Coordinates of all heavy atoms in Angstrom, one line a residue:
A279 N -5.5 16.1 25.9 CA -6.8 16.6 26.5 C -6.7 18.1 26.8 O -7.7 18.8 26.6 CB -7.0 15.8 27.8
R280 N -5.5 18.5 27.3 CA -5.4 19.9 27.6 C -5.4 20.8 26.3 O -6.1 21.9 26.3 CB -4.0 20.2 28.3 CG -3.8 21.6 28.8 CD -2.7 21.7 29.8 NE -1.4 21.2 29.3 CZ -0.9 20.1 29.7 NH1 -1.4 19.3 30.7 NH2 0.3 19.6 29.2
F281 N -4.8 20.3 25.3 CA -4.9 21.0 24.0 C -6.3 21.1 23.4 O -6.7 22.1 22.9 CB -4.0 20.3 23.0 CG -3.7 21.2 21.7 CD1 -2.6 22.0 21.7 CD2 -4.5 21.1 20.6 CE1 -2.3 22.7 20.5 CE2 -4.3 21.9 19.5 CZ -3.2 22.7 19.5
N282 N -7.0 20.0 23.7 CA -8.4 20.0 23.2 C -9.4 20.7 24.1 O -10.6 20.7 23.8 CB -8.9 18.5 23.0 CG -8.2 17.9 21.7 OD1 -7.9 18.6 20.8 ND2 -8.1 16.6 21.7
G283 N -8.9 21.1 25.3 CA -9.8 21.8 26.2 C -10.7 20.8 26.9 O -11.8 21.1 27.4
R284 N -10.3 19.5 27.1 CA -11.1 18.5 27.7 C -10.6 18.3 29.1 O -9.4 18.3 29.4 CB -11.0 17.2 26.9 CG -11.6 17.2 25.5 CD -13.1 17.3 25.6 NE -13.7 17.1 24.3 CZ -14.0 15.9 23.8 NH1 -13.8 14.8 24.5 NH2 -14.6 15.8 22.6
H285 N -11.5 18.0 30.1 CA -11.2 17.7 31.4 C -11.4 16.2 31.6 O -12.5 15.7 31.5 CB -12.0 18.4 32.4 CG -11.7 18.0 33.9 ND1 -10.6 18.4 34.5 CD2 -12.5 17.3 34.7 CE1 -10.6 17.8 35.7 NE2 -11.8 17.2 35.9
V286 N -10.3 15.5 31.9 CA -10.3 14.0 32.2 C -9.8 13.8 33.6 O -8.7 14.3 34.0 CB -9.5 13.3 31.2 CG1 -9.6 11.8 31.4 CG2 -9.9 13.6 29.7
S287 N -10.6 13.2 34.4 CA -10.2 13.0 35.8 C -9.1 12.0 36.0 O -8.9 11.2 35.1 CB -11.5 12.5 36.6 OG -11.8 11.2 36.2
Q288 N -8.4 12.1 37.1 CA -7.3 11.2 37.4 C -7.8 9.8 37.6 O -7.1 8.8 37.2 CB -6.6 11.7 38.7 CG -5.3 10.9 39.0 CD -4.3 10.9 37.9 OE1 -4.0 12.0 37.3 NE2 -3.7 9.8 37.6
A289 N -9.0 9.7 38.1 CA -9.6 8.3 38.2 C -9.8 7.6 36.9 O -9.5 6.4 36.8 CB -11.0 8.4 38.9
E290 N -10.1 8.4 35.9 CA -10.2 7.8 34.5 C -8.9 7.3 34.0 O -8.8 6.3 33.3 CB -10.9 8.8 33.6 CG -12.4 8.9 33.9 CD -13.0 10.1 33.2 OE1 -12.4 11.2 33.0 OE2 -14.2 9.9 32.7
F291 N -7.8 8.2 34.2 CA -6.5 7.8 33.8 C -6.0 6.5 34.6 O -5.3 5.7 34.0 CB -5.5 8.9 34.0 CG -5.6 10.0 32.9 CD1 -6.0 11.3 33.2 CD2 -5.4 9.6 31.6 CE1 -6.1 12.2 32.2 CE2 -5.5 10.6 30.6 CZ -5.8 11.9 30.9
D292 N -6.4 6.5 35.9 CA -6.0 5.3 36.7 C -6.7 4.1 36.2 O -6.1 3.0 36.2 CB -6.4 5.6 38.2 CG -5.5 6.6 38.8 OD1 -4.4 6.9 38.3 OD2 -6.0 7.2 39.8
E293 N -8.0 4.2 35.7 CA -8.7 3.1 35.1 C -8.0 2.6 33.9 O -7.9 1.4 33.6 CB -10.1 3.5 34.8 CG -11.0 2.4 34.4 CD -12.4 2.8 34.1 OE1 -12.8 4.0 34.4 OE2 -13.2 2.0 33.6
F294 N -7.5 3.6 33.1 CA -6.8 3.2 31.8 C -5.4 2.5 32.2 O -5.0 1.5 31.6 CB -6.5 4.4 31.0 CG -5.5 4.2 29.9 CD1 -5.9 3.4 28.8 CD2 -4.3 4.8 29.9 CE1 -5.0 3.2 27.7 CE2 -3.4 4.6 28.8 CZ -3.8 3.8 27.8
R295 N -4.8 3.0 33.3 CA -3.5 2.4 33.7 C -3.8 1.0 34.2 O -3.0 0.1 33.9 CB -3.0 3.2 34.9 CG -1.6 2.7 35.4 CD -1.3 3.3 36.8 NE -1.2 4.8 36.6 CZ -0.1 5.4 36.2 NH1 1.0 4.7 35.9 NH2 -0.1 6.7 36.1
R296 N -4.9 0.8 34.9 CA -5.2 -0.6 35.4 C -5.5 -1.5 34.2 O -5.0 -2.7 34.2 CB -6.4 -0.6 36.3 CG -6.7 -1.9 37.0 CD -7.7 -1.8 38.1 NE -9.0 -1.5 37.6 CZ -9.7 -0.3 37.8 NH1 -9.1 0.6 38.4 NH2 -10.9 -0.1 37.3
H297 N -6.1 -1.0 33.2 CA -6.4 -1.8 32.0 C -5.0 -2.2 31.3 O -4.9 -3.4 30.9 CB -7.2 -1.1 31.0 CG -7.3 -1.7 29.6 ND1 -8.2 -2.8 29.4 CD2 -6.7 -1.5 28.5 CE1 -8.1 -3.1 28.1 NE2 -7.2 -2.3 27.5
C298 N -4.1 -1.3 31.2 CA -2.8 -1.6 30.6 C -2.0 -2.6 31.4 O -1.4 -3.5 30.8 CB -2.0 -0.3 30.4 SG -2.8 0.9 29.3
Q299 N -2.1 -2.4 32.7 CA -1.3 -3.3 33.6 C -1.9 -4.7 33.5 O -1.2 -5.7 33.5 CB -1.4 -2.8 35.0 CG -0.5 -1.6 35.2 CD -0.7 -1.0 36.6 OE1 -1.7 -1.2 37.3 NE2 0.3 -0.2 37.1
M300 N -3.3 -4.8 33.5 CA -3.9 -6.1 33.4 C -3.6 -6.8 32.1 O -3.3 -8.0 32.0 CB -5.5 -5.8 33.4 CG -6.3 -7.1 33.4 SD -6.1 -7.9 35.0 CE -5.9 -9.6 34.4
T301 N -3.6 -6.0 31.0 CA -3.2 -6.6 29.7 C -1.8 -7.1 29.6 O -1.5 -8.2 29.1 CB -3.4 -5.5 28.6 OG1 -4.8 -5.0 28.6 CG2 -3.1 -6.1 27.2
R302 N -0.9 -6.3 30.3 CA 0.5 -6.7 30.3 C 0.7 -8.0 31.1 O 1.4 -8.9 30.8 CB 1.3 -5.6 30.9 CG 2.9 -5.9 30.9 CD 3.6 -4.7 31.3 NE 3.3 -4.3 32.7 CZ 3.9 -3.3 33.4 NH1 4.7 -2.5 32.8 NH2 3.5 -3.1 34.6
E303 N -0.1 -8.1 32.2 CA 0.0 -9.3 33.1 C -0.5 -10.5 32.3 O 0.1 -11.6 32.4 CB -0.8 -9.1 34.3 CG -0.4 -8.0 35.2 CD 1.0 -8.1 35.8 OE1 1.6 -9.2 35.6 OE2 1.5 -7.2 36.5
M304 N -1.5 -10.3 31.5 CA -2.1 -11.4 30.8 C -1.1 -11.9 29.7 O -1.1 -13.1 29.3 CB -3.4 -11.0 30.1 CG -4.5 -10.7 31.0 SD -5.0 -12.0 32.1 CE -4.2 -11.5 33.6
Q305 N -0.2 -11.0 29.3 CA 0.7 -11.3 28.2 C 2.1 -11.7 28.7 O 3.1 -11.8 27.9 CB 0.9 -10.1 27.2 CG -0.5 -9.8 26.5 CD -0.5 -8.5 25.9 OE1 0.5 -7.7 26.0 NE2 -1.6 -8.2 25.2
G306 N 2.3 -11.9 30.0 CA 3.6 -12.4 30.5 C 4.3 -11.4 31.3 O 5.4 -11.7 31.8
G307 N 3.7 -10.2 31.6 CA 4.4 -9.3 32.5 C 5.7 -8.7 31.9 O 5.9 -8.6 30.7
D308 N 6.5 -8.2 32.8 CA 7.7 -7.5 32.5 C 8.8 -8.4 31.8 O 9.7 -8.0 31.2 CB 8.3 -6.8 33.7 CG 7.4 -5.7 34.2 OD1 6.6 -5.2 33.4 OD2 7.5 -5.5 35.5
D309 N 8.6 -9.7 32.1 CA 9.6 -10.7 31.6 C 9.4 -10.9 30.1 O 10.3 -11.5 29.4 CB 9.4 -12.0 32.3 CG 9.7 -11.9 33.8 OD1 10.5 -11.0 34.1 OD2 9.2 -12.7 34.6
K310 N 8.3 -10.5 29.5 CA 8.1 -10.7 28.1 C 8.9 -9.7 27.2 O 8.9 -8.6 27.5 CB 6.6 -10.6 27.7 CG 6.4 -10.9 26.2 CD 4.9 -10.8 26.0 CE 4.6 -11.1 24.5 NZ 3.2 -11.1 24.2
K311 N 9.7 -10.3 26.3 CA 10.5 -9.4 25.4 C 9.6 -8.7 24.4 O 8.5 -9.1 24.1 CB 11.5 -10.3 24.7 CG 10.9 -11.3 23.7 CD 12.0 -12.0 22.9 CE 11.4 -13.0 21.9 NZ 12.4 -13.7 21.1
H312 N 10.2 -7.6 23.9 CA 9.4 -6.8 23.0 C 9.3 -7.5 21.6 O 10.2 -8.2 21.2 CB 10.2 -5.4 22.7 CG 10.2 -4.6 24.0 ND1 9.1 -4.1 24.6 CD2 11.3 -4.1 24.6 CE1 9.4 -3.4 25.7 NE2 10.8 -3.3 25.7

Side-chain angles (χ1 to χ4, degrees):
R280 185 164 57 250
F281 194 92
N282 286 334
R284 295 288 189 90
H285 175 72
V286 183
S287 66
Q288 185 60 43
E290 290 171 317
F291 283 117
D292 290 340
E293 187 178 353
F294 170 67
R295 182 193 302 276
R296 188 169 68 250
H297 169 81
C298 295
Q299 291 173 336
M300 185 70 224
T301 302
R302 186 176 61 183
E303 301 295 353
M304 296 301 102
Q305 295 165 359
D308 297 331
D309 296 332
K310 184 177 179 179
K311 64 178 183 179
H312 296 301

